[in-house]
Amino acid sequence: MSGSSIGVLFRVTTWGESHGPAIGAVVEGCPSGIDLIEEDIQKVLDRRRPGRIVSSSSRKEEDAVKIISGTFKGKTTGTPISLIIENKDVNSSAYEDIKDIFRPGQGDYTYFKKYGIRDYRGGGRASARETAARVAAGAIAAKIIFREGIKIIAYTKALGGIVIKLKGDAAKKISYDDIAGDNLMCPDPDAARKMEAKLEEAKLSGDSLGGIVEIIVRGCPPGLGEPVFEKMDAVLAGALMGIGAVKGVEIGAGFKVAEMTGSQANDPIAPDGFISNHAGGILAGITTGQDIVIRIACKPIPSIAKVQQTIDVQGKHVEFSIKGRHDVSAIPRIIPVCEAMVSIVLADHLLRQKAIAHE
Ligand SMILES: Cc1cc2nc3c(=O)[nH]c(=O)nc-3n(C[C@H](O)[C@H](O)[C@H](O)COP(=O)(O)O)c2cc1C
């Protein structure tokens, strides 16, 4: 009922609020004997941390992860793995002024209607702080999928209306090295500089920006996905839509299929494989063995310094502007979160496919 868990055989539960003492995750179903130390998870978490660039919040969290169960002598034991990350840089004073009002674009109104009580400090459970727990759990999932030869790369495709331009089929070849050195994890340096200028502009005007992240999964075997209610595309879309600020998910040609004819949209099959990939690597909810291609649309950060109109808990009109520390865009910090959610889904489905393995 609680909605804080995802997965069947590989199951992740996250817990914690933005301004509570800590956040964390419990990972169940991880096979035993996998090398796992805190540094493995820390490396991945460091990519999500705020404070690197103009688009990110000035909250300075170390995000130091501790493994408190499920490993012995640097290896997983097959028992539940508990991960904890302390919240250290907590400043709740900025939230006193807005504790009785519903901020537009946030979960304030809906959490209040659903639970009748809400932790208004930093967005509580709805805060992007919770995504650190997903990224930590995703680092474990990544270990399971990497050993099967699956690799995930995600990058900024658009920000503030500026879209990357890559020549030919360059997107198919993008590697981690192409984005690792860029602040925005963007493989097109010209577009990246324009995006940075847009972010600076938005910050100065007290506004925020949205964008698109593309995620490519390479080396995924055919056969993953559980028709009919847990088709791979359905589960991936659910996992990614479960990240705050994600308002759309496309697979393969995505919404463009609506304009195509059958002869354009179908991916012909030759003796040595598929000739195109409009399906984005998934047919009838099952992976084809081609690259899985996914895009998410990320809305602009709702916390903006501009004056906004809303109501308070009594329903009275209020005008206010947001103080506190906020990102200008969820991009690029959302990128490792997307990778984590895709890793968690694939790890679960790999283990489930092994359970029905056939010749
Ligand atoms: C990586 C990341 C960072 C975010 N940073 C902020 C932030 O600094 N301030 C804020 O108000 N919202 C931020 N958000 C967005 C909110 O968490 C989200 O918009 C809000 O909880 C409402 O949920 P919804 O957009 O899914 O409807 C961030 C989201 C992500 C994924």
Side-chain angles (χ1 to χ4, degrees), residues 105-107 126 128 243-245 247 299 301-303 326-327 330 333-334:
Q106 294 283 7
I243 304 172
K247 296 304 279 184
K299 78 179 191 185
I301 292 293
S303 295
H326 294 281
D327 297 310
R333 290 182 57 214
I334 198 169

Side-chain angles (χ1 to χ4, degrees), residues 5-14 25-28 130-145 152 232 235-236 239 336-352:
S5 302
I6 182 169
V8 176
L9 287 188
F10 182 84
R11 190 160 175 81
V12 172
T13 303
T14 74
V26 178
V27 178
E28 292 170 278
E130 181 268 339
T131 63
R134 299 176 187 222
V135 172
I140 300 174
K143 291 208 156 215
I144 297 171
I145 64 171
I152 301 176
M232 182 53 80
V235 183
L236 283 172
V337 189
C338 295
E339 290 174 345
M341 294 316 292
V342 173
S343 301
I344 290 168
V345 167
L346 291 175
D348 184 39
H349 282 263
L350 256 179
L351 297 177
R352 289 165 75 173

Side-chain angles (χ1 to χ4, degrees), residues 158-162 199 208-212 245 297-301 328-331:
L159 207 166
I162 296 160
L199 283 169
S208 61
L209 299 174
I212 298 172
C298 176
K299 78 179 191 185
I301 292 293
V328 182
S329 176
I331 292 175

